[in-house]
Amino acid sequence: MIFDFDWSSLKTRLVVTLLMSTLIPLLLLGAISYLALQNVFQQKIENGIQNTLSQTRVNLENTLSNMEYASLQLSQEGTVGQALSELFSSRRIFEQLQLTTEIQQNMNLVNFTNPYLGVMLYYFSDKKEFRFQNREIRNDFAIESLPLLSKTKGASFFGPHPTGYKYSQNTVFSMIRPIEVSGVKPQSVYVYLETNLLLFEQIISKKQYGMAASHVLLNQNGKVAYSDDPDRFPPESDFASLKTVGDYLFKESSDQGWSIVVAIQKNDFEQEFRAWLLKYGSISLASVALSIALALLVWRTMYRPIRKIMKEIRLISGNKFNSQLNLTHIREFDTVLHEFDRMRSSIRELFAEIEQKERMKARLEVEKLLHQINPHFIHNTLNTIQWIARMNGQDEIDRLVSIFTRVLHYNLGKEGAIVTLNEELAALKDYVALQRIRYDYQFDVRYDIDASLLDQPIPRFILQPLVENALYHGLGDETGVIEVNIATLNGSMNIQVKDNGAGMAEEEVSRLLSHGSEARQAGLGIGLNYVLRMIDVHYGDCGSFQIDSQIGQGTAMTLRLPMAALTK
């Protein structure tokens, strides 16, 4: 699956964010455009159609009015009409011929001065006869069958209908007007006029609306006089009864009694709007697809560096700290990788340090074991000596052996490397008691201990080497005092073992602190070297050991151990 919706995924959030950043502007722009275009379509286009239809009505009105004006020139009020009256009242053949020629010439002149006119003639209804026509009339042409458009000011307007011209089938408008001719029965002579053959197409044209439109011309009775879509709007049908649910209708009524209607199907009317919606939808889909593509591209751009970072993490989890760093050549990710590499270097150094300390601890344990004899043999032997001393009443020997047994038990015990300060002091006091018997009580040890520190954990067997060093290197064979002071100083346990012996030179101090074979091992064979390494193993740089000594003024050994760095 290309995309699995998981909101906890960075990929999902990235795609959704880019989609929202694309869709929200598109939706807002689409809504605004929709409302604006709807306003344009509903008002601007409708107004345009209505104005165009109004202009069509005006043109048609002017055409019919011009026809009416031209008909007046052919009636008894005009020159041609007066000549026609004279023709019918004249009895002289020469005068009749002369008048006939004059009428024909005047009609041609009227037609020439009115180019919008087509067929012109006089119609005698009694005889169904056409006279003085300017064009040849077809035989089946009958004025009585023409579709009436309206009647106004004594004139009747017809059409649209096929022309009476014999050699054409073009659609025209026409009119008739009765004229009074002396010597002729009233209402039997009419002037008949038609529009030009091309005029109708110029007035009623579908192209002027910019979309498919149907013209319907209604007569003064509201019936369809003409329709260029007779299947939907049959001629002679009542327009009000027709079903026009799927059409937009625009109507203009004339003062001459007729009306013109433009019917535009809603599908055609909304075609441009749908075309805009289709284009907008296509652009929106393209934008969404582009956003998804960009999101995936950004994801791929981010995913590869993330994979490299994950690879580096897996290498660390596999204890591989020496792999070469592969950069992504993207500044932000490379910064993370550099920081990660520094962290890896620090971890590698810490591991190396821990390994070194563990090796040191192992060596210390080995050294400790090398200086130990079989503890069971020692304990059994001492118990035998103690039993013989008691049997013989040697209380001093019994006490000495008892103290020595406790010292051995503590020093050779397996209870662990960490003890409390109280346990370490008890073992130290046993050791001091043993040494005092040995040296015939020539020295004294004084203790100044902060009671709140008795339960603090410290490394095992760390005080005895200090006191032992004070005996062997401080007092020697002389009498003196050793002070053991333990107190809290700046969050650390401050241990000081001080003697009032002869003191040491700096060279002697350096020799005692050295790790070589020159360091003197006394008692059980564990000296200051052991103390230094125990501090390094358990405290690192947080612990410290210092020897201050001057010739003739004694020696002070100070041990500072952080209390928060060690747990029992």
Side-chain angles (χ1 to χ4, degrees):
M1 188 175 181
I2 297 178
F3 182 72
D4 185 15
F5 188 85
D6 181 7
W7 186 247
S8 62
S9 169
L10 175 63
K11 179 180 180 181
T12 300
R13 297 189 181 188
L14 184 63
V15 172
V16 171
T17 301
L18 286 178
L19 279 178
M20 294 299 293
S21 65
T22 301
L23 287 176
I24 291 176
L26 278 176
L27 291 176
L28 292 176
L29 180 61
I32 295 173
S33 300
Y34 177 84
L35 294 176
L37 286 175
Q38 193 176 42
N39 180 61
V40 169
F41 280 110
Q42 295 297 326
Q43 295 186 9
K44 302 294 179 62
I45 294 180
E46 287 184 6
N47 292 339
I49 293 174
Q50 195 69 47
N51 291 335
T52 302
L53 182 60
S54 177
Q55 186 61 43
T56 301
R57 174 188 59 80
V58 171
N59 292 338
L60 185 53
E61 283 180 342
N62 292 336
T63 299
L64 298 181
S65 297
N66 291 335
M67 287 175 60
E68 183 182 10
Y69 174 74
S71 69
L72 292 177
Q73 294 179 339
L74 302 180
S75 67
Q76 68 272 13
E77 299 175 359
T79 304
V80 181
Q82 292 177 1
L84 183 63
S85 297
E86 293 178 2
L87 175 63
F88 283 100
S89 61
S90 175
R91 295 292 183 266
R92 293 179 295 178
I93 296 176
F94 176 77
E95 186 178 0
Q96 289 177 354
L97 291 173
Q98 188 178 11
L99 289 173
T100 299
T101 302
E102 182 182 350
I103 291 173
Q104 197 69 52
Q105 290 176 348
N106 287 335
M107 289 186 69
N108 291 335
L109 180 61
V110 172
N111 193 184
F112 178 77
T113 56
N114 296 280
Y116 58 86
L117 295 178
V119 175
M120 300 174 58
L121 55 82
Y122 285 98
Y123 174 62
F124 295 84
S125 60
D126 291 344
K127 299 178 182 182
K128 307 295 183 182
E129 180 183 10
F130 302 116
R131 294 185 63 181
F132 304 108
Q133 62 267 27
N134 61 346
R135 291 181 180 148
E136 188 175 357
I137 305 301
R138 68 176 187 267
N139 296 329
D140 61 345
F141 180 67
I143 294 179
E144 291 80 1
S145 62
L146 298 179
L148 179 65
L149 183 61
S150 66
K151 289 183 177 182
T152 178
K153 298 179 181 179
S156 297
F157 295 93
F158 303 97
H161 61 82
T163 178
Y165 181 39
K166 185 177 181 179
Y167 301 105
S168 176
Q169 291 294 326
N170 285 12
T171 303
V172 296
F173 290 96
S174 64
M175 69 161 293
I176 61 172
R177 175 186 291 277
I179 62 174
E180 297 295 333
V181 179
S182 59
V184 181
K185 183 180 178 181
Q187 299 294 321
S188 62
V189 180
Y190 297 87
V191 174
Y192 176 80
L193 301 176
E194 282 185 5
T195 59
N196 189 296
L197 296 179
L198 300 177
L199 185 61
F200 176 78
E201 296 181 358
Q202 295 174 357
I203 295 176
I204 301 179
S205 175
K206 294 184 178 182
K207 297 181 180 179
Q208 58 188 337
Y209 298 102
M211 63 188 73
S214 297
H215 286 93
V216 180
L217 198 58
L218 305 179
N219 60 24
Q220 59 188 9
N221 297 322
K223 292 185 177 182
V224 177
Y226 167 81
S227 171
D228 51 16
D229 190 359
D231 293 333
R232 297 173 57 212
F233 306 102
E236 299 298 327
S237 60
D238 188 359
F239 183 78
S241 63
L242 296 178
K243 294 181 179 180
T244 57
V245 177
D247 297 307
Y248 286 108
L249 300 179
F250 302 90
K251 184 178 181 181
E252 284 285 329
S253 298
S254 173
D255 295 337
Q256 296 173 349
W258 52 268
S259 301
I260 185 169
V261 177
V262 170
I264 300 177
Q265 293 186 2
K266 291 183 178 180
N267 291 335
D268 294 334
F269 185 81
E270 297 173 354
Q271 182 176 2
E272 293 187 16
F273 187 68
R274 290 197 304 272
W276 173 84
L277 286 178
L278 180 61
K279 293 179 181 178
Y280 177 76
S282 301
I283 294 175
S284 298
L285 289 177
S287 300
V288 171
L290 181 61
S291 296
I292 295 177
L294 288 175
L296 294 177
L297 179 61
V298 173
W299 165 245
R300 288 182 180 274
T301 304
M302 297 175 60
Y303 180 64
R304 290 178 180 176
I306 291 175
R307 285 184 60 187
K308 289 188 177 182
I309 295 175
M310 291 297 296
K311 181 180 179 181
E312 296 295 332
I313 294 175
R314 283 193 293 268
L315 289 174
I316 286 185
S317 63
N319 296 326
K320 296 179 181 179
F321 296 94
N322 298 317
S323 61
Q324 184 177 1
L325 184 65
N326 295 321
L327 298 178
T328 63
H329 304 293
I330 299 176
R331 183 175 59 187
E332 290 77 7
F333 285 106
D334 286 345
T335 301
V336 174
L337 284 173
H338 283 303
E339 292 295 329
F340 183 83
D341 189 55
R342 280 194 286 270
M343 180 190 72
R344 181 170 57 184
S345 299
S346 299
I347 294 175
R348 183 170 58 245
E349 293 173 358
L350 288 175
F351 278 3
E353 183 179 353
I354 291 173
E355 290 177 359
Q356 181 181 1
K357 289 183 177 180
E358 290 297 325
R359 287 194 296 270
M360 186 181 297
K361 287 176 65 176
R363 286 197 301 269
L364 287 175
E365 293 298 327
V366 171
E367 289 179 5
K368 184 176 180 181
L369 290 174
L370 289 176
H371 293 286
Q372 293 175 354
I373 62 176
N374 191 315
H376 296 287
F377 173 75
I378 295 177
H379 284 297
N380 291 335
T381 303
L382 290 176
N383 287 335
T384 301
I385 296 173
Q386 188 177 11
W387 180 75
I388 294 174
R390 287 179 182 177
M391 290 291 293
N392 295 323
Q394 299 293 329
D395 295 335
E396 190 68 20
I397 296 175
D398 181 23
R399 178 172 173 272
L400 176 63
V401 172
S402 178
I403 295 173
F404 184 60
T405 300
R406 288 199 302 271
V407 171
L408 283 178
H409 178 76
Y410 182 79
N411 291 343
L412 302 178
K414 308 296 181 182
E415 289 80 2
I418 305 300
V419 296
T420 63
L421 177 61
N422 192 32
E423 293 172 332
E424 182 74 2
L425 285 173
L428 176 64
K429 290 177 181 179
D430 286 336
Y431 171 77
V432 169
L434 188 63
Q435 294 293 351
R436 291 185 68 190
I437 294 174
R438 176 185 174 186
Y439 287 98
D440 195 20
Y441 301 97
Q442 292 182 0
F443 68 90
D444 189 18
V445 178
R446 299 172 185 175
Y447 299 93
D448 183 8
I449 310 298
D450 186 349
S452 64
L453 299 176
L454 293 177
D455 292 329
Q456 286 294 323
I458 62 172
R460 182 187 184 88
F461 201 71
I462 201 171
L463 294 181
Q464 180 180 319
L466 302 181
V467 175
E468 183 179 14
N469 186 77
L471 284 174
Y472 283 105
H473 299 281
L475 299 181
D477 295 332
E478 302 295 332
T479 61
V481 177
I482 298 175
E483 297 180 3
V484 178
N485 302 316
I486 302 177
T488 302
L489 181 62
N490 298 326
S492 298
M493 183 186 299
N494 193 70
I495 301 173
Q496 186 180 64
V497 177
K498 183 177 181 182
D499 64 74
N500 59 354
M504 295 180 291
E506 291 184 4
E507 293 77 7
E508 182 68 16
V509 172
S510 299
R511 186 177 67 82
L512 285 175
L513 294 178
S514 67
H515 295 274
S517 58
E518 296 180 359
R520 177 182 175 184
Q521 296 181 345
L524 291 176
I526 302 177
L528 296 181
N529 193 2
Y530 171 81
V531 176
L532 293 175
R533 283 189 286 177
M534 290 298 289
I535 293 174
D536 186 43
V537 168
H538 291 288
Y539 299 99
D541 295 335
C542 297
S544 64
F545 179 65
Q546 181 179 353
I547 297 179
D548 296 315
S549 182
Q550 292 183 2
I551 301 297
Q553 295 185 12
T555 302
M557 292 175 286
T558 304
L559 185 64
R560 182 169 297 177
L561 306 177
M563 289 187 291
L566 190 66
T567 58
K568 182 177 180 180

